[in-house]
Amino acid sequence: QLYSTIGWHPTEAGSYSQEIEDMIVSQLDNPKVVALGEIGLDYYWMEDPKEVQIEVFKRQIGLSKKYNLPFVVHTRDALEDTYDVIKEVGVGPRGGIMHSYSGSLEMAQKFVDLGMMISFSGVVTFKKALDVQEAAQKLPLDRILVETDAPYLAPVPKRGRENRTGYTRYVVDKIAELRGLTSEEVARATYDNAMRIFGLND
Ligand SMILES: [Zn+2]
């Protein structure tokens, strides 16, 4: 029941090469590989210059389109540039996912308008994450996902501990509370959304 994404992370952008790209491409027809990712921009760690990260990000969005897979985006302190790159390159018919989203509703809506889905991690349960909570509350239900990001970002009430995949239930509970739905309804909707974007069947 395990599936994988494969991609070259932005904190490693400087070591991207044709050889790496060939290695990634060689895995893309594996039925267990369901997306290109994590790809994106990380200006927090800034291991490589912006221009290098942007180039590697663009190349891999291109691969996702060429091989007809969705892509999963990691972005940190780089939301505006991330938006500009995705808009410029364009989202393929399989769409893409903003992983562990931590921006505003307004920005999330712009990504949704480009054809992206928005994925929420434990961050949505954090007391001060009001922006993220508003996004989780108001985005269309058919455009949101939940995720673990384990071992990081454990949700309240497990915040600060090593995260576990099972704790994703607290993310679901929080979104249900925000939207006035039952946890079962949010679990069902996000499950269906994940199956749809990754091209999996029940
Ligand atoms: Zn990430």
Side-chain angles (χ1 to χ4, degrees):
Q1 293 182 308
L2 292 175
Y3 294 87
S4 156
T5 71
I6 184 168
W8 207 247
H9 198 273
T11 54
E12 306 289 336
S15 57
Y16 194 82
S17 64
Q18 188 59 51
E19 204 182 349
I20 300 274
E21 187 167 298
D22 293 346
M23 182 272 291
I24 292 170
V25 167
S26 75
Q27 299 297 320
L28 295 182
D29 60 357
N30 184 327
K32 286 289 190 176
V33 175
V34 294
L36 240 294
E38 296 174 19
I39 61 175
L41 304 174
D42 194 316
Y43 294 173
Y44 177 81
W45 294 109
M46 200 60 98
E47 299 284 353
D48 296 294
K50 291 182 181 181
E51 307 75 57
V52 174
Q53 296 192 38
I54 288 170
E55 181 57 31
V56 172
F57 185 25
K58 283 182 177 172
R59 269 194 90 89
Q60 293 185 94
I61 297 175
L63 288 182
S64 80
K65 289 163 73 174
K66 183 171 174 191
Y67 292 93
N68 199 32
L69 288 170
F71 59 95
V72 178
V73 175
H74 168 104
T75 177
R76 194 161 179 197
D77 292 353
L79 211 50
E80 294 289 341
D81 281 7
T82 300
Y83 177 79
D84 290 344
V85 168
I86 295 173
K87 188 174 183 191
E88 182 190 328
V89 181
V91 178
R94 294 291 309 275
I97 297 169
M98 299 302 296
H99 130 76
S100 191
Y101 185 73
S102 57
S104 66
L105 168 65
E106 187 192 5
M107 200 65 204
Q109 189 62 55
K110 288 174 69 178
F111 283 106
V112 165
D113 291 345
L114 293 182
M116 304 289 288
M117 290 188 129
I118 308 295
S119 179
F120 294 97
S121 66
V123 172
V124 76
T125 68
F126 297 173
K127 219 175 206 153
K128 290 181 180 162
L130 297 176
D131 269 8
V132 183
Q133 288 170 6
E134 189 186 16
Q137 180 181 27
K138 295 181 180 166
L139 286 173
L141 191 57
D142 65 352
R143 291 304 195 100
I144 66 171
L145 299 167
V146 292
E147 67 174 77
T148 166
D149 210 32
Y152 310 113
L153 300 177
V156 174
K158 305 290 184 184
R159 188 171 183 182
R161 297 191 217 176
E162 182 176 287
N163 200 1
R164 296 181 186 186
T165 301
Y167 295 167
T168 307
R169 60 167 298 181
Y170 298 113
V171 177
V172 170
D173 289 344
K174 182 67 188 183
I175 295 175
E177 178 197 317
L178 289 165
R179 299 183 75 108
L181 297 172
T182 66
S183 294
E184 287 70 25
E185 287 169 321
V186 172
R188 169 50 67 181
T190 53
Y191 176 84
D192 288 346
N193 294 343
M195 297 298 267
R196 193 170 75 249
I197 190 157
F198 291 125
L200 301 170
N201 297 312
D202 261 315

